[in-house]
Amino acid sequence: MKNLHQKTLTELQSCLSNGDCSSQELAEHFLYRIEANDQLNAFITVDEQRTLEQAKQADVALKDNLGSALTGIPLAHKDIFCTDGLLTTCGSKILNNFISPYDATVVSRLSHAGMVTLGKTNMDEFAMGSSNETSYYGVVSNPWNTNAVPGGSSGGSAAAVSAGLAPAATGTDTGGSIRQPAAFCGITGVKPSYGRVSRYGMIAFASSLDQAGPMARTAEDAALLLDVMCGFDEHDSTSLRQDPVNFSAQLDKSIEGLKIGLPKSFFSQGLDAEVGDVIDTSIKTLEKMGATIVDINLPSSELAVPCYYVLAPAEASSNLSRFDGVRFGHRAKEYDDLGDMYQKSRSEGFGDEVKRRIMIGTYALSSGYYDAYYSKAQKLRRLISNDFDLAFKQCDIILSPTTPSVAFDKNAKTDDPIAMYLNDIYTIPANLAGLPAISLPAGLNPQGMPIGLHLVAPYLEEGRMLNIAHQFQLNTDFHRAFPENYA
Amino acid sequence: MTISNEDVQKIARLARLEVSEEQATKFSDELEKILHLVEKLKACDTTSVEPMTHPFDAALLLREDAVTEVNQRDKFQAIAPATQDGLYLVPKVLD
């Protein structure tokens, strides 16, 4: 079988059910590609034996007709998800010896569905970064141009899917960490509504913003994965009590009459013209498909980045206090007393970006500053969320670019945290409001770098969002583009 | 808003981080820039706005007060830096 690595999950499904290939052959094919392309540095951990064993079990299930829709299909997990018996580093030195004793709910749901784990993908340390350059395990290369970053924090997952090292991967998104790398690497990435997907076993960054989601070639594939990933989990106190949803069944509706809202301010300052042009073409395509355009305003979203850089570090400073060198993870070799042990273990274990954010968060929460920063940012968060409520009275979905530019070069922004933070200017508002959002391929710039189209839907309207994305992909073939050197 | 090296050291102590003088200078500069970005929030009038702590206002779930976990002490302690007789070892706290 040729080009297995360019196939979508639905195509791989038919390969498996027609008997064109076995799950073991699929696993071997992708394992071979991971090894042959290890200079991308997309993976932190690969355990071939474990993968092949899972694939053999899947083949048995398929033969006995006991499989589900995804049985036997391989996927990669972002290294933020705990995987029982497998190294789980979260991109950090402080977890460089952490063999997780349990599976994250996302991992167990996908493996119960019969999916085969290819390995754990590289990421920015504790998901703090937009370029995958904060990883202790080295930067990941963008398959479209290996001098460029893949985006982040789910950069390893995005590069792996983009280069055909995995047909799909999991990611997490706190301020754009699924959608921004999906845009930079030319794939489809979904951040579901807050509460849809269990956060149990997903190493916490900012708990009121974190959400897991699928990264795949198409919206149809993302829907298949979401069908399995979503659902109530008693282990996550913010998990929504929800009936199972079949997103895959909602993809076929026409978008005739759909009202698309364009937030004007997202199309003005700071947006690269080449990105703007491609998004304009996408808007015309959607209009031809029967959608109408309305102008909307999200005035408070202009302050989304500063709001986020109070709330996320504040929550992170609290969440990351658990890394103390006592029960798991790195412990310093020499220390004087307990306090010194905490301090040395943490200082050796965390990288600079993580330290910066812990300190910002600590400062924002410290006595005398709480009202000026934390409480103020939470009020802003309310205003940003209210803007969306108003906007959705005028439109069904909100459209913008995913990022202001295409993937930038490695080291271009490492010395300027603020320039790095501004990458997520279009994606952060959806996290603050808890809304579902998607990035999908919209075309390439003149240098051949991918550009992402961003859609935000009302709360719990993933079905509508995926329907629009799927219809767009039926009318375009940008999602079929493949980086030349990895074809 | 200015952040001195002493401020950085104070914040670092609160966060249980060790920062060298050289790093403190770098961090003070970076933290200042980030706080400068954050200062923009002050321009926005938020009088009578209720702080939003979470994307939705659902009540926390309650469950029966029953044992739901099995004892996996050995498994959990297998990955600990130092244990003895089923206990986690840390430096002596009391003399």
Side-chain angles (χ1 to χ4, degrees):
Chain A
M1 285 291 298
K2 269 191 172 172
N3 294 338
L4 279 175
H5 53 278
Q6 294 201 15
K7 292 195 186 303
T8 63
L9 299 189
T10 38
E11 288 163 352
L12 291 176
Q13 272 178 337
S14 6
C15 289
L16 285 170
S17 57
N18 297 342
D20 291 342
C21 69
S22 66
S23 174
Q24 192 183 334
E25 281 163 349
L26 272 184
E28 282 167 353
H29 179 76
F30 285 103
L31 287 171
Y32 169 77
R33 287 189 59 82
I34 292 169
E35 202 185 329
N37 295 294
D38 64 350
Q39 75 287 352
L40 284 173
N41 202 26
F43 282 79
I44 293 175
T45 302
V46 177
D47 182 342
E48 296 202 359
Q49 225 182 334
R50 188 181 158 113
T51 302
L52 291 173
E53 236 157 73
Q54 289 178 2
K56 279 178 200 161
Q57 280 175 16
D59 278 327
V60 172
L62 286 168
K63 205 173 137 226
D64 298 343
N65 279 321
L66 294 170
S68 78
L70 292 166
T71 300
I73 296 178
L75 100 161
H77 286 297
K78 184 178 183 180
D79 209 18
I80 200 168
F81 292 102
C82 286
T83 37
D84 196 353
L86 200 57
L87 185 68
T88 300
T89 70
C90 215
S92 182
K93 180 186 176 187
I94 211 160
L95 289 176
N96 71 352
N97 59 0
F98 178 63
I99 309 286
S100 170
Y102 71 111
D103 272 335
T105 299
V106 163
V107 172
S108 58
R109 289 184 77 102
L110 290 166
S111 36
H112 282 146
M115 294 198 85
V116 174
T117 303
L118 288 168
K120 308 290 293 289
T121 57
N122 205 337
M123 56 181 284
D124 278 301
E125 185 179 4
F126 285 104
M128 299 179 190
S130 307
S131 66
N132 220 108
E133 289 168 295
T134 72
S135 170
Y136 175 68
Y137 304 90
V139 64
V140 175
S141 296
N142 188 316
W144 294 85
N145 169 5
T146 50
N147 294 321
V149 301
S153 67
S154 312
S157 288
V161 174
S162 163
L165 314 187
T170 52
T172 61
D173 192 314
T174 306
S177 280
I178 286 175
R179 293 161 287 154
Q180 185 254 21
F184 278 10
C185 291
I187 63 166
T188 303
V190 176
K191 181 201 93 72
S193 304
Y194 184 83
R196 271 279 195 215
V197 178
S198 168
R199 292 182 297 107
Y200 180 70
M202 181 177 123
I203 296 170
F205 162 12
S207 304
S208 80
L209 303 162
D210 296 343
Q211 189 61 188
M215 304 176 78
R217 302 204 175 290
T218 63
E220 190 179 23
D221 285 0
L224 270 174
L225 291 165
L226 262 189
D227 287 345
V228 175
M229 291 169 78
C230 293
F232 173 67
D233 178 13
E234 60 183 8
H235 289 115
D236 172 1
S237 62
T238 59
S239 172
L240 286 174
R241 278 193 183 273
Q242 53 187 333
D243 296 326
V245 189
N246 188 348
F247 298 112
S248 301
Q250 300 174 42
L251 302 176
D252 292 331
K253 272 186 283 182
S254 151
I255 63 160
E256 186 78 46
L258 180 86
K259 275 191 270 177
I260 299 176
L262 299 186
K264 273 192 209 153
S265 57
F266 285 29
F267 287 84
S268 51
Q269 87 190 82
L271 176 64
D272 278 7
E274 58 186 27
V275 176
D277 290 347
V278 163
I279 299 303
D280 283 344
T281 311
S282 301
I283 294 169
K284 290 200 182 86
T285 305
L286 288 161
E287 281 182 306
K288 268 186 218 145
M289 291 163 61
T292 53
I293 302 298
V294 289
D295 284 333
I296 57 152
N297 282 309
L298 298 171
S300 301
S301 282
E302 276 180 39
L303 292 171
V305 173
C307 176
Y308 177 85
Y309 277 96
V310 173
L311 297 179
E315 293 186 22
S317 75
S318 165
N319 273 325
L320 269 62
S321 63
R322 76 189 54 169
F323 300 100
D324 56 7
V326 175
R327 290 150 303 144
F328 52 81
H330 174 78
R331 178 186 286 196
K333 280 214 168 60
E334 284 170 33
Y335 39 83
D336 300 331
D337 53 27
L338 184 63
D340 196 42
M341 186 193 89
Y342 291 152
Q343 208 158 302
K344 286 210 166 74
S345 302
R346 288 165 62 80
S347 304
E348 292 171 9
F350 293 139
D352 277 358
E353 179 61 24
V354 172
K355 286 179 186 166
R356 257 195 296 277
R357 297 209 198 181
I358 289 176
M359 287 200 278
I360 282 290
T362 304
Y363 181 78
L365 291 174
S366 64
S367 159
Y369 295 105
Y370 184 91
D371 283 338
Y373 292 107
Y374 192 64
S375 186
K376 181 79 182 178
Q378 285 189 321
K379 289 176 181 175
L380 241 304
R381 184 175 186 180
R382 173 81 61 195
L383 294 178
I384 290 167
S385 174
N386 289 349
D387 282 353
F388 277 106
D389 291 346
L390 272 180
F392 283 126
K393 292 198 168 120
Q394 295 169 261
C395 65
D396 305 308
I397 196 102
I398 294 172
L399 181 153
S400 75
T402 308
T403 55
S405 71
V406 297
F408 45 88
D409 282 350
K410 291 172 187 167
N411 295 318
K413 297 187 181 185
T414 38
D415 290 334
D416 187 352
I418 305 287
M420 192 67 94
Y421 296 171
L422 291 174
N423 251 292
D424 296 329
I425 194 160
Y426 302 137
T427 49
I428 283 175
N431 297 83
L432 291 170
L435 303 175
I438 187 170
S439 177
L440 56 158
L444 304 175
N445 79 348
Q447 288 74 43
M449 293 301 284
I451 289 166
L453 174 70
H454 190 231
L455 302 175
V456 182
Y459 195 52
L460 300 182
E461 294 289 353
E462 284 87 350
R464 180 192 303 173
M465 181 176 88
L466 289 160
N467 169 222
I468 299 163
H470 178 63
Q471 292 301 314
F472 181 80
Q473 292 182 334
L474 288 178
N475 284 274
T476 56
D477 55 8
F478 306 124
H479 58 287
R480 287 277 170 198
F482 210 87
E484 222 171 76
N485 295 337
Y486 300 88
Chain B
M1 178 62 63
T2 54
I3 298 282
S4 66
N5 285 20
E6 290 75 58
D7 293 330
V8 172
Q9 293 294 4
K10 188 183 159 217
I11 301 166
R13 255 196 318 281
L14 288 172
R16 300 287 183 273
L17 292 171
E18 206 169 57
V19 174
S20 70
E21 260 321 285
E22 194 189 329
Q23 283 174 311
T25 309
K26 186 169 167 268
F27 278 132
S28 71
D29 180 50
E30 288 168 349
L31 297 192
E32 241 173 59
K33 282 187 186 143
I34 297 169
L35 289 173
H36 182 71
L37 170 81
V38 166
E39 289 295 301
K40 289 185 186 163
L41 293 181
K42 296 211 168 128
C44 181
D45 182 11
T46 50
T47 336
S48 76
V49 178
E50 192 69 15
M52 178 171 168
T53 53
H54 243 269
F56 57 91
D57 304 312
L60 277 186
L61 293 165
L62 299 175
R63 63 166 176 83
E64 288 288 302
D65 185 15
V67 177
T68 54
E69 294 292 326
V70 291
N71 186 0
Q72 302 188 69
R73 184 166 70 183
D74 292 345
K75 192 175 184 188
F76 295 156
Q77 294 202 333
I79 52 168
T83 59
Q84 190 187 310
D85 305 329
L87 303 169
Y88 292 97
L89 287 190
V90 295
K92 205 168 177 180
V93 179
L94 296 170
D95 277 321

